[in-house]
């Protein structure tokens, strides 16, 4: 063994030290502050493991390299996660209020608006950053507020910034309660926020709940075929939940499988954050773009919410539009909280949950649409 | 940037078109597959059986 490989401390660069500190910060935020610990602790540990000099975990055959090859490069991990997510989601709120689908659709402007900005700053305009068309699309997908979709699209498009994009997507999902409320207050009036929406008593049948995932796969898959893996796994998980005779599989998807894949995915994403790739001006810009993406998606949902507020004769609280971005169920909870601040008797949670689950489907459709369109435009 | 503009328009167009179709499908499902009636307490009363049979026929 060469002399220099005995002690990693001699090979420690300042960049690696910064990354070790970043890993420690994420673990601190996860454990001490309880900010998305399920994600941030494995990611933080992955960063530390990947940046210990001479550790070899990210070299060919290393633990993290094997995980990346098996689970990220093949897009296996995000799809398995989606089975678990599908099994966790109750689409009942959406089925009771189909119109909330449009709020989810509007919020996807965060993806496309951010793409436009990233491409303008990169190869399409100012050339300040090394952002190709595919990189810009991958950066925009942060606006889906959906980790698995971000991983899927960024890796399918082969973006060189896939690791940064995935980390930004997951980080900002944890920051939804901080990012969204100021935008919600800025774009709505006090009177709009105070509007109470009645709790609907209309229920959907079990048969509708069972048929819905199958119909959704057919509709989305036939229009945006590239979204089929994502929507297919999401809706398969939901079918396990709603079938009523697969409780054991549904519980396994929600718990055992989702937990195991979350551990592996978190470690792998953290392991992709090596100092040489991560500490670049482009990465910092990607993080700034992530905020833009979340803000633009939130604003677009709110603006359509305001349109619905007027069109419905002031019966729809525009705040629920903010839940159109897919970070589930955090956005719906944020809407509930901001609504309660304006009116202590205003319970928007179920309405926002409709928009939120719509955002989950819409983000997958948007990701699929992007993948379908890129070959025609890039 | 022109192609980027078209990309944005086409992307949002696909999203809204797909989800509009989904709204139609959801509305149709809600209409064709209404919630099952809770077990009728007045099973033996005249008239109720006819109504239940009609609903089952829609399914």
């Amino acid at each position: 063994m060469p002399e220099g490989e005995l002690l990693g401390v001699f090979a420690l660069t300042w960049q690696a030290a910064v990354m070790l500190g970043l890993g420690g910060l994420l673990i601190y935020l996860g454990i001490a502050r309880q900010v998305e610990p399920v994600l941030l602790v494995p990611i933080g540990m992955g960063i530390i493991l990947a940046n210990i000099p001479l550790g070899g975990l990210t070299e060919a055959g290393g633990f993290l390299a094997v995980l990346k090859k098996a689970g990220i490069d093949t897009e296996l991990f995000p799809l398995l996660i989606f089975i678990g997510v599908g099994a966790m989601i109750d689409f009942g709120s959406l089925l009771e209020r189909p119109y909330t689908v449009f709020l989810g659709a509007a919020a996807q402007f965060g993806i496309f608006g951010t793409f436009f900005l990233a491409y303008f700053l990169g190869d399409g305009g100012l050339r300040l950053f090394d952002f190709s068309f595919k990189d810009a699309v991958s950066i925009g997908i942060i606006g889906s507020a959906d980790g698995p979709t971000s991983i899927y699209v960024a890796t399918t498009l082969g973006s060189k910034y896939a690791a940064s994009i995935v980390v930004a997507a997951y980080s900002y999902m944890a920051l939804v309660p901080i990012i969204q409320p100021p935008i919600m207050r800025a774009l709505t009036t006090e009177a709009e926020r105070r509007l109470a929406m009645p709790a609907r008593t209309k229920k959907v049948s079990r048969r509708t709940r069972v048929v819905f995932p199958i119909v959704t796969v057919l509709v989305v898959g036939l229009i945006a075929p590239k979204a089929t893996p994502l929507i297919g796994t999401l809706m398969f998980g939901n079918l396990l939940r709603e079938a009523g005779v697969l409780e054991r599989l549904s519980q396994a998807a929600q718990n055992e499988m989702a937990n195991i894949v979350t551990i592996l995915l978190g470690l792998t994403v953290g392991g992709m954050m090596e100092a040489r790739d991560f500490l670049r001006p482009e990465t910092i810009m990607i993080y700034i773009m992530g905020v833009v993406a979340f803000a633009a998606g939130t604003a677009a949902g709110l603006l359509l919410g305001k349109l619905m507020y007027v069109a419905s004769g002031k019966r729809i609280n525009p705040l629920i539009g903010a839940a159109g971005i897919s970070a589930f169920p955090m956005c719906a909870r944020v809407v509930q909280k901001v609504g309660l601040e304006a009116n202590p008797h205003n319970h928007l949670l179920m309405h926002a949950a409709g928009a939120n689950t719509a955002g989950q489907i819409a983000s997958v459709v948007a990701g699929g649409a992007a993948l379908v369109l890129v070959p025609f435009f890039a | 940037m022109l192609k980027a503009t078209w990309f944005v328009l086409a992307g949002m167009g696909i999203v809204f078109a797909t989800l509009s179709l989904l709204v139609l499908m959801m509305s149709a499902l809600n209409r064709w597959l209404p919630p099952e009636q809770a077990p009728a307490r007045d099973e033996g009363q005249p008239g109720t059986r006819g109504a239940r049979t009609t609903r089952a026929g829609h399914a």
Side-chain angles (χ1 to χ4, degrees), chain A residues 95 98 101-102 105-106 112 115-116 119-120 124 137 203-208 211-212 215-216 223 362 366 369 373 377, chain B residues 1 3-8 10-12 14-23 25-27 29-30 33-36 59:
Chain A
L95 286 163
V101 158
F102 293 113
F112 293 100
F115 149 77
F116 193 86
Y119 191 54
F120 178 69
V137 173
K203 295 293 174 195
V204 294
S205 68
R206 181 171 162 259
R207 290 173 299 176
T208 299
V211 174
F212 173 71
V215 167
T216 304
I223 294 181
L373 292 171
F377 291 92
Chain B
M1 291 305 290
K3 67 177 179 180
T5 306
W6 281 115
F7 178 80
V8 171
M12 287 304 287
I14 289 177
V15 170
F16 269 98
T18 308
L19 294 179
S20 298
L21 200 52
L22 204 57
V23 169
M25 297 306 295
M26 281 193 282
S27 302
L29 286 176
N30 281 333
L33 304 173
E36 296 84 354

